[in-house]
Amino acid sequence: MVAKFDQNDDGVVVIIGSGAGGGTLGNELAQKGINVVILEAGQRHEYEDFINDEWASFSQLAWTDNRTTSGSWRVAKNFPNLPAWIVKAVGGSTTHWAGASLRFQAHEFKTLTTYGHVPGANLLDWPITLAEMEPYYARAEEKMGVTRTGNRPGLPGNNNFKVLKAGADKLGYKECHTGNMAINSIERDNRNSCQQTGFCFQGCKWGAKWSTLYTEIPKGEATGKLEVRPQSHVLRIEHDASGKVTGVVYADKDGKEQRQKARVVAVAGNSIESPRILLNSHSAMFPDGLANSSGQVGRNYMRHMTGSVYGVFEKPVHMYRGTTMAGIIRDEARFDPSRGFVGGYEMETLSLGLPFMAAFLDPGAWGREFTSALDGYSNMAGMWLVGEDMPQETNRITLSSFKDKYGMPVADVHFDDHPNDIAMRNYAYKQGMALYESVGAIRTFPTPPYPSTHNLGTNRMSENARDGVVNKHGQTHDIKNLFVSDGSQFTSGGAENPTLTIVSLAIRQAEFIAEQMRTKTI
Amino acid sequence: MSDHNHGHNHADTHHHAHPAKPGFSRRTFLRRSSEITLAAAITITAGGALLNESEAWALEVKALKPETMKTLILMARDIYPHDKVPDRFYAIAVKAYDAKAAADPQFKSMLETGIAGLDTAAGAGGYVGVAWEAQRVALLHQISSTPMFETVRSGLVVSLYNQQELWPIFGYEGESYSKGGYIHRGFDDIDWL
């Protein structure tokens, strides 16, 4: 029985967003008997509705509401109104993610201690350690069915992986396998196993890839304690004279304002929307927005150092066949400043279909140099380079002077690469190109970052209230019944794809919220 | 993810050019030969449509001058040249500009003015009269920072490459779910490593 709560019910936990953070938190709380309303801006599309077509799927799932950009990053030039490729739908970006599920390394929770002062970077240690996270990582891996954990077998390697592996062997890399993937290598949790269909980014039509859409959310709904309200676009969070939050105002599918009262509010709208909502909730009491006494809301925006390398070979690869990201080399993820940068990066298989390859191989390029690369499409192999980027105070989400259809200021995303990001990217390009050349690539292409898929850090965790927005439980330093539950909590980005850490933090946060509610602390 | 916000409506790009109707005069047929560019195989009928008899398609032009459409088709090929791709795919790719021009006078004016400028810069015979691709590309580089060029290019990157019928030319197989994915269809069939 799916719950339906009254809008004046002030005993519910309201979660904004239904992705990795919000969807997981909602189910975890519901399982503990707590009443939850999830407000999701997007529509609900079940997995059989997903589309094996890049642009059509983009129209179905992507967050295409207007945003603005500034800064020296190339995305601002090529995609000025599309800084991020994330999802507006029930399940959030867990519909679109590739499934790579990696734990952070111990030192990545201690970047200031490990890296020391890096000029221009606003480094800070997390108020939490790997040791504290390990039990939650294990629970998240179990929940998500991550391959090569808990005795679950790995996925088989596709053609793109085989090219990567051959190159890894040539270059002497030691840790190369088909990844720790939240994609079923065997039937599990009443879900199919991977059928090597490709189109992981377009939503898995088999349901083999973990997504809150068809795991956490229906499980939570089955308790009778969770209501998911799609097409509910949050405008602001309200508070009382004591400074406690009391409810959430949102626009429904007809654009009409609605108000859901709340005992606790958890913000999980991804690192662009979450600070946008907090900033837009400014009041006489909180003129700079909610939970912003530190001035850090919206700052330290991270998007991972990214780039791709594609190689064209003499013979066919058909890289798009099979699981998109089931292939990884982890050797470069280590901390080794002798390479000329702090932090590390992962090398992961990646493919785009022809339509997206044309749009993203070298945005804006034209003429024969560009089109002859596409002529080699079927002989192409691809990898994604994803590494830790530096938190910088000036990389930030602010409220733009442009407003959306509800009259709410859109988010402006400002980003400049840090010199460390650039040094890492150039090094990673060199390694990726050398890898493909070692197995016979005729041409290689160092491809610039796509619109951001890993948006992090804009409501970061800190030990001290002056340095960040939330504490080690994701509870805001300023308002005890207001939480942040998505990747915007990240104090640093690590080299790893962030979803596993977001899910682990949500499991941990649910325990804390339940305990605080039980003891009437909130 | 759209390039400069073009192509949000991907469905627009799945149109086909109309098949050539019988009855077009043989006199309009221009045989393709090594001396002429591909797009020069396109002729303009008395009714103002574009006809490519060798590829058996015709394209009605609604708002733009037929000459402008013809130039746009060649310009599209020069921007994204693929020798294996027939003209009809480029014609389909630029067809949406004619439709948009019909609805948006400002857009129409930008295209007509832009193409007229390109023709003027090309000299007698206009852009389509310039025989070598490299010479036409040099003309395009001169206008590559104009809104007209960027509008045409950024729209094309979606409207050309998002045609499903084009994908096999590049060895891209498209949708695979209905075929059961690739688990039994070669996801790991690489044999040359």
Side-chain angles (χ1 to χ4, degrees), chain A residues 55 58 197 316 320 368 375, chain B residues 1 79 82 133 173 176 192:
Chain A
W55 284 117
F58 185 79
T197 297
Y320 55 85
R368 280 197 185 263
D375 286 335
Chain B
M1 220 167 345
I79 291 173
H82 294 285
E133 178 184 318
E173 296 166 274
S176 81
W192 53 264

Side-chain angles (χ1 to χ4, degrees), chain A residues 55 74 103 106 173 186 238 271 304 331 389 410 465 471:
Chain A
W55 284 117
R74 185 166 160 181
R103 296 184 182 194
Y173 285 135
I186 47 172
E238 296 184 323
S271 284
H304 269 149
D331 297 58
D389 62 341
V410 307
N471 66 16

